[in-house]
Amino acid sequence: MNLILFICLFTNQLIQIYITYILDGSDAQASQLLGQLDSAFLFAYAAAMFVSGFVAERVNLRYFLAFGMLFSGTFSYLFGIAKTYNIHDLWYFIIVQGLAGIVQTTGWPGVVTVVGNWFGKSKRGLIFGIWNSHTSIGNILGSLVAGAYVEYDWSLSFIIPGLIMGVAGFIIFLFLVAHPSDVGCISPNNTDRKKYKRLKDQTTGGDTSPTSNSETEETESLIEEQEVQRRISERSYLLPNNQSRYGQQAIGFFGALKIPGVVEFSFSLFFAKLVSYTFLYWLPLYVHASTTMGAALSADLSTLFDVGGIAGAIAAGFLSDCTNMPAATCAVMLILAIPGMFVYQHFGTIHIGLNVVLLIIVGFLVNGPYALITTSVSAELGTHSSLEGNSKALATVTAIIDGTGSIGAAVGPLLAGYVQSQYSWHSVFIMLMLSDVFALVLLLRLVRRELSWLRQRRREERIE
């Protein structure tokens, strides 16, 4: 699963390095054209994400992810062969980038749904936190490995990942098990899981205690239902009707919006992802402009932001599991990120060692909430109690949340470029800190609800 999104992020990171060579322009021209390519990819990705989640709930996820990988590899390959065929038309690259953004939306809602299908709520935050490290690893390796073909053949930087994605898509097509029922297992999100296991043990002799006729009938009914689900899953339709192949009705777009917390987390992610992607796209340039480091060293140093992001994602997931308060976990990290960015801007340029430490801390605090919302929170809301056990909302909810966040990811770098050119880097950091404030404000109602739940639980514990 990590391979899908890792390669997509890796490929997009390469594009930032090679645009100067592709279009044979100056650095200034390259920056302007890169902004247009970034926008083509990010806005296409954000717009298509909402549709992708809707489709993912209604198709076989094995096919969905496999074809998404194959097409992603194809567009990566098409980007690379521009050098072979001496293509210098900007519209060619914009179209390829836009189409790549569309097909890559298959990855996030599809993969989050598959992981959510296989893992229950226990330690979900930690599992998703570790899993989400692929985003930062992809960014890091994309920056470090991108220079390998600068002097040799930059087209291979896109052709080779494209071939890898094609092979990975074929492997996924052959071996991915999208849902436990596909192999006769019970979903960890099934509310009847424990009762089914107990009753089946009684029927098969695992428990010799006597059972009533009603229990026996209930056992046979549950076992028969599981057998029907297993047989249905073996047919593996590519496009089943709105009734899901797991016997549940796929939720609609507006139905997903009614789930408590979806709207708040979606708009909070808009601002959180705006901050994260602004750092992703502009940090190497900021480090180069604000220090005496060369361009190559600045790019290498900027990867430390993603190193901190890996730790932040894992820590946020772990804290969310321990407290069962994801909104409060995000709020605390957002609060700490604001002074963290202020300190980095004012003191990070003093010494390279201090820059390293502060950059890791900022990456930890900025990426933690972003990672938690796009993974564990999305999976939690996709199996919310208001759905009454229906798990056919995972992809739709994930797409709504991440799609809204992706709009912020598209707006952030563009807005940062305008603010920096018209004002200064200081103004860019003010913009980022205000964005974190907005993300925090949007979560306050959920935080208040979680704190109320915590006080009630403590009162009940004292009474007991």
Side-chain angles (χ1 to χ4, degrees), residues 42-57:
L42 292 171
F43 280 110
Y45 181 89
M49 178 61 76
F50 297 99
V51 179
S52 183
F54 182 85
V55 173
E57 297 287 15

Side-chain angles (χ1 to χ4, degrees), residues 176-377:
L176 176 66
V177 179
H179 196 278
S181 65
D182 290 351
V183 288
C185 298
I186 307 173
S187 170
N189 298 315
N190 191 337
T191 55
D192 292 326
R193 179 181 177 87
K194 292 182 179 179
K195 180 168 64 174
Y196 170 77
K197 183 178 184 302
R198 173 177 59 81
L199 293 174
K200 185 176 181 181
D201 287 343
Q202 292 173 352
T203 303
T204 58
D207 188 343
T208 58
S209 60
T211 59
S212 64
N213 291 334
S214 61
E215 285 180 323
T216 302
E217 292 175 1
E218 187 176 11
T219 301
E220 294 174 351
S221 176
L222 284 169
I223 294 174
E224 182 180 352
E225 180 182 348
Q226 289 295 320
E227 180 63 18
V228 169
Q229 289 183 4
R230 184 187 66 80
R231 290 176 180 175
I232 292 175
S233 69
E234 288 175 352
R235 287 184 253 171
S236 299
Y237 297 118
L238 175 60
L239 286 171
N241 58 24
N242 196 43
Q243 186 73 19
S244 90
R245 53 194 290 261
Y246 305 114
Q248 297 173 333
Q249 189 79 9
I251 195 170
F253 181 84
F254 292 103
L257 288 177
K258 294 178 182 178
I259 299 174
V262 168
V263 174
E264 291 93 333
F265 276 116
S266 295
F267 284 104
S268 179
L269 183 64
F270 173 93
F271 292 103
K273 207 166 182 179
L274 182 153
V275 176
S276 180
Y277 271 67
T278 300
F279 269 102
L280 174 66
Y281 283 98
W282 285 97
L283 188 57
L285 183 59
Y286 169 74
V287 174
H288 179 58
S290 60
T291 66
T292 58
M293 300 179 197
L297 182 58
S298 298
D300 291 343
L301 184 66
S302 67
T303 61
L304 294 174
F305 177 82
D306 288 297
V307 172
I310 294 174
I314 296 173
F318 177 75
L319 291 174
S320 177
D321 284 339
C322 292
T323 62
N324 200 24
M325 299 170 64
T329 300
C330 292
V332 170
M333 299 186 81
L334 288 169
I335 291 172
L336 294 176
I338 297 169
M341 287 186 282
F342 178 84
V343 172
Y344 174 73
Q345 182 204 354
H346 287 82
F347 300 100
T349 59
I350 295 177
H351 188 271
I352 186 172
L354 188 59
N355 196 310
V356 168
V357 174
L358 292 176
L359 195 54
I360 293 175
I361 293 174
V362 171
F364 180 95
L365 297 172
V366 167
N367 280 351
Y370 152 48
L372 182 62
I373 294 173
T374 54
T375 56
S376 178
V377 169

